[in-house]
Amino acid sequence: MFESPFGDSIIQRAREEGLLDFHLHDLRDYSLNKHRRVDDTPFGGGVGMVMNIEPIDRAITAIKKEVPETRTILLSPGGQPFNQKKAWELSNLSSLTLICGRYEGIDERVRLHLVDEEISIGDYVLTGGETAAMVLVEAISRLIPGVLGDPDSIIEESFSSDMLEYPQYTRPRDYQGLTVPEILVSGDHKKIRDWQRAEALKKTERVRPDLLKKNKQRES
Ligand code: ADE
């Protein structure tokens, strides 16, 4: 499941250049159960299975033996929402251990005692944390210096300044009557910049007014 996204050209090149690396651990390898089980029925009854604490504890212990400073993160819809600010914070750490749970349930003691934090990638439920882990890996990897060719592009883009991106256009200037805004071909850089800012603001007001509210709260 992880091979293809982690073998993607940008991430693969970064791995080859030694900018980052990944190690996959199968929780079943840490199960002491003869059937390599990692979940069981819930105490108190209820539907579905709950992931056992033991394989997760044994996996984290083994990883921390090699990398004591690793930050342990449980992926679950019950976690703090993931965003660009969090991606920046995590990109500065030397090691992350991403624990992919099944949503049906994880023994609460994992949350309480084993992990440093719990992260959700959005208000929807996936069957497992694996795709969520890939989202984190992709968002974080590209912020590591050297992984992307042009570091300026990262600063410019959406959410870096809590504002959506301004609209962009490229050739042709006229596509079947759909034309590019005149200002962008005017050559007046100040006017272009002002237009881009105004468009970004307009779009943010329309689509994500919550981002502007957050900005205001921070400023006051
Ligand atoms: N596992 C299941 N749903 C998830 C979500 N929304 N975010 C992170 N991990 C999850």
Side-chain angles (χ1 to χ4, degrees):
M1 194 169 179
F2 288 93
E3 250 165 46
S4 145
F6 287 10
D8 146 274
S9 62
I10 291 177
I11 290 186
Q12 184 55 29
R13 184 161 38 80
R15 290 176 86 175
E16 282 162 13
E17 288 174 9
L19 298 170
L20 50 85
D21 205 2
F22 306 98
H23 302 273
L24 297 175
H25 299 258
D26 185 347
L27 282 175
R28 289 181 185 282
D29 294 341
Y30 296 92
S31 169
L32 294 177
N33 178 282
K34 67 170 185 254
H35 303 295
R36 296 176 19 107
R37 281 182 63 166
V38 293
D39 58 9
D40 209 332
T41 52
F43 280 127
V47 285
M49 301 294 276
V50 176
M51 285 182 72
N52 301 109
I53 184 171
E54 190 174 56
I56 300 177
D57 187 25
R58 296 184 75 235
I60 292 177
T61 302
I63 293 165
K64 284 202 164 169
K65 227 167 139 183
E66 303 285 323
V67 199
E69 72 280 9
T70 195
R71 166 104 54 114
T72 51
I73 297 172
L74 176 66
L75 293 154
S76 112
Q80 292 287 326
F82 185 60
N83 55 28
Q84 191 64 25
K85 186 164 168 257
K86 193 73 192 173
W88 276 109
E89 178 196 327
L90 298 178
S91 75
N92 286 313
L93 300 179
S94 60
S95 165
L96 303 173
T97 299
L98 305 178
I99 303 152
C100 306
R102 298 265 116 197
Y103 179 55
E104 284 185 346
I106 295 163
D107 191 304
E108 188 65 15
R109 290 167 291 187
V110 171
R111 285 194 178 86
L112 295 176
H113 305 291
L114 295 189
V115 301
D116 296 319
E117 60 184 303
E118 188 177 356
I119 290 181
S120 164
I121 61 159
D123 293 336
Y124 40 79
V125 179
L126 306 164
T127 45
E130 290 85 355
T131 36
M134 290 177 208
V135 167
L136 259 70
V137 166
E138 166 129 11
I140 293 165
S141 300
R142 58 194 293 287
L143 301 179
I144 293 170
V147 170
L148 283 195
D150 177 10
D152 285 348
S153 64
I154 291 181
I155 311 289
E156 280 267 319
E157 72 197 12
S158 289
F159 294 101
S160 298
S161 55
D162 294 328
M163 186 102 76
L164 300 182
E165 258 183 358
Y166 54 78
Q168 302 205 70
Y169 296 85
T170 187
R171 271 173 282 274
R173 249 174 99 163
D174 185 332
Y175 179 69
Q176 298 179 0
L178 305 173
T179 52
V180 170
E182 274 306 314
I183 187 126
L184 293 179
V185 287
S186 67
D188 185 332
H189 296 293
K190 163 139 191 356
K191 272 200 183 143
I192 290 173
R193 203 69 201 126
D194 290 346
W195 179 87
Q196 288 171 333
R197 276 204 202 98
E199 288 295 314
L201 185 60
K202 258 203 290 195
K203 176 152 192 202
T204 313
E205 275 167 348
R206 184 163 44 84
V207 183
R208 293 292 308 276
D210 55 302
L211 291 178
L212 298 172
K213 273 192 213 123
K214 256 193 244 159
N215 276 347
K216 273 213 187 100
Q217 275 164 4
R218 215 172 298 143
E219 281 160 18
S220 59

